[in-house]
Amino acid sequence: MLPENPLLLYVTDPMCAWCYGFTPVIRRLRALWFGRLSVQVLVGGLHPYVQDPLTSAEKDKLAVSWHRAQGKSHLPFDYSFFLRKEAVYDTEPACRALLTVRHLRPGLTLEVLRALHSAFYADGWDITDTQVLVEVLRPFGIPENLFLAVFETDEIYQQTQDEFKMVEEMGVSTLPSVYLEHPMGPRLISRGFCELPELEERLLQAMQIPY
């Protein structure tokens, strides 16, 4: 039997274009299922620990993916990112920032994820920069010194790396991905972007399988 409040695992990355399009779907699902479903955000690490700037070919491939995500999600995208000569697409700092928020203010995790998405994709902010991350978090009332005290520790670096590894061991091959927590292990609900009706249908189907 399903528990009264099943847990949905949302595997994402603040710098994933398809996740930017999909996070509003997750937020609407949580609102529709308020009191009947919990959502936990897991960081998947789209391109962590990258040090070299994107090549022209990599930029072209990434731009195509952004255009496709924009076409599906109808959200604003700022393509000035591709005009940067030294654009380094390291998603680890933003993932670590989100994990830091999950430790400090777990109830804000999904809202901060939305804000990080918007800052990067709609506003063109460089969220690989620590000070930019602080600015994104400022409206949420998390003190800068408290955030940095956790964000810059060896422990949160290690926990971020451990979560990337855990997500990989879950078998996640695509971001975003959604799983339903289960005593026998997480059950895959959705791999990649989908609209709310499809996600809700998949969730209902998974919940009908004996627990």
Side-chain angles (χ1 to χ4, degrees):
M1 179 181 291
L2 274 171
E4 286 186 12
N5 196 3
L7 179 63
L8 209 64
L9 305 175
Y10 175 33
V11 188
T12 184
D13 187 300
M15 296 175 70
C16 159
W18 288 102
C19 299
Y20 170 46
F22 191 59
T23 292
V25 176
I26 293 290
R27 293 176 71 237
R28 289 198 297 271
L29 179 73
R30 186 183 65 170
L32 283 171
W33 286 65
F34 182 77
R36 297 181 293 152
L37 180 77
S38 297
V39 176
Q40 180 175 347
V41 176
L42 300 178
V43 290
L46 182 64
H47 293 291
Y49 313 116
V50 174
Q51 295 181 342
D52 296 328
L54 288 168
T55 64
S56 294
E58 288 171 335
K59 283 184 177 180
D60 290 345
K61 184 178 180 181
L62 193 60
V64 169
S65 177
W66 285 27
H67 277 290
R68 288 175 177 166
Q70 184 176 22
K72 284 283 188 180
S73 66
H74 308 293
L75 291 173
F77 276 70
D78 181 338
Y79 290 89
S80 63
F81 171 80
F82 297 101
L83 300 177
R84 299 178 197 166
K85 292 181 179 179
E86 299 292 315
V88 178
Y89 201 64
D90 177 15
T91 69
E92 189 275 343
C95 286
R96 180 160 35 99
L98 195 61
L99 201 60
T100 301
V101 171
R102 205 177 74 198
H103 278 285
L104 296 174
R105 304 284 192 274
L108 292 176
T109 309
L110 199 54
E111 299 311 310
V112 170
L113 173 62
R114 180 202 58 77
L116 288 168
H117 284 320
S118 294
F120 182 60
Y121 285 104
D123 301 327
W125 290 13
D126 180 6
I127 62 171
T128 67
D129 183 283
T130 300
Q131 196 53 47
V132 172
L133 291 170
V134 168
E135 290 303 316
V136 174
L137 294 181
R138 199 176 300 280
F140 293 93
I142 300 174
E144 178 178 345
N145 59 347
L146 177 61
F147 169 73
L148 292 175
V150 177
F151 178 73
E152 295 177 340
T153 60
D154 291 340
E155 288 81 2
I156 203 72
Y157 272 100
Q158 187 60 52
Q159 287 178 30
T160 305
Q161 189 173 358
D162 290 346
E163 189 145 312
F164 292 160
K165 184 177 179 181
M166 181 193 75
V167 164
E168 185 179 355
E169 290 173 349
M170 283 170 57
V172 177
S173 58
T174 301
L175 296 180
S177 285
V178 181
Y179 289 77
L180 183 65
E181 185 63 279
H182 187 275
M184 301 300 291
R187 285 180 173 165
L188 180 65
I189 301 296
S190 176
R191 180 184 288 118
F193 178 90
C194 67
E195 300 288 355
L196 180 60
E198 184 178 358
L199 178 63
E200 196 167 23
E201 182 179 348
R202 290 178 181 181
L203 174 61
L204 289 168
Q205 289 174 351
M207 291 173 66
Q208 288 169 4
I209 300 172
Y211 220 70

